[in-house]
Amino acid sequence: MIKVFVPRDSSALGLGAEEVALAIQAEAEKRQVAIELIRNGSRGLYWLEPLVEVATPQGRIAYGPVTIADVPRLFEAGFHNGGAHPLALGLTEEIPYLKRQERLTFARVGITDPVSLDDYLAHDGYRGLKRALTMAPAAMVEEVTESGLRGRGGAAFPTGIKWRTVLNTSSAQKYIVCNADEGDSGTFSDRMIMEGDPFVLIEGMTIAGLAVGATDGFIYLRCEYPDAEVALNAAIESATAQGYLGDNILGSGKAFRLEVRLGAGAYVCGEETSLLESLEGKRGLVRFKPPLPAIEGLFGQPTVINNVISLASVPIILDKGAAFYKDYGMGRSRGTLPIQLAGNLKQPGLVERAFGVTLREILYDFGGGSQSGRPIKAVQVGGPLGAYLPESQFDTPLDYEAFTALWAVLGHGGVVAFDETVDMSKMARYGMEFCAVESCGKCTPCRIGSTRGVEIIDKIRAGEETERQVALLRDLSDTMLASSLCALGGMTPYPVLSALNHFPEDFGVTSAQ
Amino acid sequence: MSDHSATANFPMAVALRLIQMNDPAFDSERVSGIIAELKTKPGALLPILHAIQEVLGYVPGECVPLIATELNLSRAEVHGVISFYHYFRGTPPGRHTVYICRAEACQAMGSEALEAYAKSSLGVDYHENTRDGAITLEPVYCLGNCACSPSIMVDKKVHGRVSPKRFDDIMNLTRSAS
């Protein structure tokens, strides 16, 4: 039986993967070719989606991007035996974009059937959990601390320290909460994991539960990801049926239960305390800290709240050991970062590399430069609250501290490229507008400041008393930076001021201002 | 100030009756069933609102007192939660909802032109229904489809690299799908 792979990833589906899968099935029947159609996750080479793969004795061979019109000719060319065709890309693993990556967290994504537990187990799945079950909770926490893993949601707080705080509390009820409210523009690595390898997240959460003594977990998933919800629920169901979740995990007598909860389109609920309020069934208003969620989190109980990628990186750390993971990276940024390339690029997609790769390598060696063919003028890294970087900063290595030194952030690893047609004063205005739309309203600098910010930038764009308005914008930004309750108001000045500082000509001001 | 006091004095009972007259979808038994099924979950309010909107297409105003009573919350608290989240709606949508991504990655690939095209070709602004009741247009801030921008979502299906021509094709298919 010939194995043919067509992704079920939502981006691939959005380019016609479902129709291609149906056409391949129908054409195979018509030609009486016996195939087994497997719906895998995406390899993350999105300019080639829908990417169809065929298993051959030499390895998997890729074809893409495939449309339904290509399907009959693919069969004529004998693609099901790896035959030559204009869309043939050779062995998938040899495609330079993929070959030059260091896939640890994404080791299985695009390779396995995401909702098949057997496939997960056959590809080193649940080895981390099995080792964890032989360890004391403190040793598990120590392993994660020692690996150097820092929160991949954006704040980069050491994951192990968070876990230790929860472990050291004495509460009878503790929780593991996965922040799957991936709202940053230009980011999709959480979605790819949840759709393409949901078991790795489930395994990571289960290990977290065992490590800190939590018996219940919630995945707070944004409602814009319906395909991820389906994949997660299917995976939770089979993990529960096979004893990997539930009241007696693999006969250990330890319990861990997991439930998916949907958000409802509020960006601020990606902020951890706002997310907890939302999980409790309330408006997503940001909480004051302290108390930290690790002490008083969900329903007032000690709670580990981690991003999808942080949790999905835990199984390989427990499986291969802290030293293996820590060996990747630079400085205090250890391990790998799944970088998401988006916007105006020839080859957008998912690139997992050790920290230290430069922005220029990512944009040109992987991204292939702008799709429009015009020079890349600015790059926003780290979502809507991340700074815009000009060409002169493209040699910066992807490293938390290197970005901080530039008054920029790595955030969740999203990279959005803009060509020279972009008007940066418009992007700055959008930054403020977005903050106004999404502010939870609890603190004044964010709630009111963002609206005033839009008005000020409108005046600057109209050329009204530019010098005075620019001074006012800087003053307002200082207030938002210093006195907002959370990162939404507190970081909106990053895109706004970086746009102004690096591209003053787009605001009609000279750099001296 | 006078405007505010006029609103404050508007009797709640009258307001509720006015909402009820316009709410053919409200099905008290069905809503009560949903609430009864989910109310024992910890933090039950969002799951209840999602379930109601999934079935009825929106959350009719009459649900508010029912939910409030069952969850031992004030009506203001329930209303406050519904109005906080962009996804929950208090008015009936069209047969299909089209979300256009307004976030930066899509902007880098021309989503502003797509937004303008969608509004003019459908003859609606955001949060409005087309005259034939087929389509509601909504903005969305990121669909996680950033490598295939610009993006839209129709009900629960994402579409990538959406040109005006492709937008028309998708709308035609959507309308013909009933």
Side-chain angles (χ1 to χ4, degrees), chain B:
Chain B
M1 278 311 285
S2 59
D3 281 353
H4 287 280
S5 53
T7 315
N9 291 335
F10 196 69
M12 183 55 89
V14 174
L16 278 175
R17 269 205 301 281
L18 283 174
I19 296 164
Q20 270 163 0
M21 286 185 340
N22 293 320
D23 258 339
F26 181 65
D27 176 341
S28 156
E29 257 176 56
R30 213 161 172 196
V31 169
S32 298
I34 290 170
I35 299 170
E37 190 193 324
L38 297 172
K39 72 176 196 182
T40 54
K41 273 181 181 284
L45 186 48
L46 263 71
I48 287 172
L49 295 174
H50 270 295
I52 292 172
Q53 184 153 312
E54 182 77 22
V55 170
L56 302 181
Y58 67 111
V59 183
E62 297 89 325
C63 299
V64 173
L66 290 180
I67 298 169
T69 306
E70 292 299 314
L71 295 188
N72 198 22
L73 296 169
S74 72
R75 279 186 269 176
E77 283 169 312
V78 177
H79 172 77
V81 169
I82 296 170
S83 60
F84 181 85
Y85 296 95
H86 299 304
Y87 180 74
F88 296 130
R89 48 183 308 133
T91 53
R95 289 191 296 283
H96 302 280
T97 303
V98 174
Y99 302 88
I100 302 190
C101 180
R102 291 199 65 211
E104 290 90 338
C106 283
Q107 288 184 42
M109 293 302 284
S111 64
E112 279 192 308
L114 180 66
E115 284 181 80
Y117 181 79
K119 287 179 185 177
S120 71
S121 67
L122 295 174
V124 294
D125 203 341
Y126 281 132
H127 316 299
E128 291 178 0
N129 302 352
T130 54
R131 207 176 273 186
D132 62 358
I135 289 162
T136 300
L137 192 66
E138 294 287 347
V140 70
Y141 295 89
C142 199
L143 294 165
N145 193 40
C146 321
C148 310
S149 299
S151 309
I152 67 170
M153 184 156 82
V154 180
D155 300 324
K156 291 187 176 181
K157 181 164 183 344
V158 168
H159 298 267
R161 297 183 205 142
V162 181
S163 60
K165 160 85 175 67
R166 212 164 115 72
F167 183 80
D168 283 342
D169 292 346
I170 296 165
M171 288 308 104
N172 288 336
L173 269 175
T174 302
R175 285 181 198 268
S176 65
S178 87

Side-chain angles (χ1 to χ4, degrees), chain A residues 201-481:
Chain A
L201 173 60
I202 295 169
E203 183 182 351
M205 291 184 73
T206 310
I207 294 168
L210 296 173
V212 305
T215 51
D216 290 275
F218 291 96
I219 299 171
Y220 184 89
L221 175 68
R222 63 200 304 257
C223 66
E224 292 86 348
Y225 285 180
D227 295 323
E229 185 193 5
V230 172
L232 284 169
N233 280 326
I236 288 171
E237 193 178 321
S238 57
T240 306
Q242 301 291 317
Y244 288 89
L245 282 175
D247 295 332
N248 185 12
I249 295 164
L250 297 181
S252 65
K254 304 223 168 81
F256 189 69
R257 296 167 291 265
L258 196 49
E259 186 182 336
V260 178
R261 286 288 178 93
L262 289 184
Y267 175 77
V268 75
C269 289
E271 195 283 333
E272 60 180 10
T273 62
S274 161
L275 186 156
L276 294 174
E277 288 287 298
S278 185
L279 261 183
E280 291 182 7
K282 301 175 193 160
R283 294 162 69 88
L285 296 185
V286 174
R287 292 178 185 170
F288 292 101
K289 285 194 278 194
L292 293 170
I295 309 283
E296 256 179 64
L298 185 62
F299 303 114
Q301 302 302 321
T303 302
V304 166
I305 176 161
N306 285 146
N307 168 259
V308 172
I309 301 296
S310 311
L311 288 162
S313 300
V314 166
I316 196 164
I317 291 169
L318 266 291
D319 176 19
K320 304 211 166 170
F324 168 84
Y325 191 78
K326 197 180 185 173
D327 199 34
Y328 292 86
M330 70 173 277
R332 288 174 49 219
S333 306
R334 309 313 311 177
T336 58
L337 180 69
I339 301 147
Q340 302 122 87
L341 286 180
N344 200 327
L345 290 172
K346 271 198 194 73
Q347 301 181 158
L350 189 286
V351 178
E352 183 175 352
R353 279 287 297 256
F355 288 94
V357 61
T358 69
L359 197 50
R360 193 180 299 280
E361 288 173 81
I362 290 292
L363 290 169
Y364 294 97
D365 296 353
F366 285 94
S370 77
Q371 188 178 107
S372 62
R374 297 192 181 94
I376 296 175
K377 173 172 167 176
V379 174
Q380 188 177 31
V381 181
L385 306 177
Y388 287 98
L389 283 76
E391 211 271 341
S392 61
Q393 296 182 330
F394 287 178
D395 291 311
T396 311
L398 298 192
D399 162 66
Y400 293 118
E401 280 65 42
F403 268 65
T404 305
L406 292 178
W407 204 67
V409 292
L410 212 42
H412 185 46
V415 173
V416 179
F418 293 80
D419 75 8
E420 62 182 5
T421 60
V422 69
D423 175 349
M424 294 308 295
S425 70
K426 206 158 110 184
M427 299 318 296
R429 184 192 190 279
Y430 175 82
M432 284 290 189
E433 183 194 359
F434 180 74
C435 182
V437 172
E438 297 297 340
S439 175
C440 84
K442 185 159 176 170
C443 75
T444 313
C446 174
R447 184 184 69 243
I448 308 288
S450 51
T451 297
R452 293 288 94 88
V454 171
E455 294 164 359
I456 294 169
I457 297 172
D458 278 342
K459 285 187 185 155
I460 295 171
R461 282 167 56 83
E464 289 174 33
E465 4 170 64
T466 308
E467 208 168 310
R468 240 187 104 217
Q469 296 302 330
V470 166
L472 198 55
L473 182 61
R474 291 190 183 281
D475 191 49
L476 172 69
S477 295
D478 274 348
T479 304
M480 291 175 73
L481 278 164

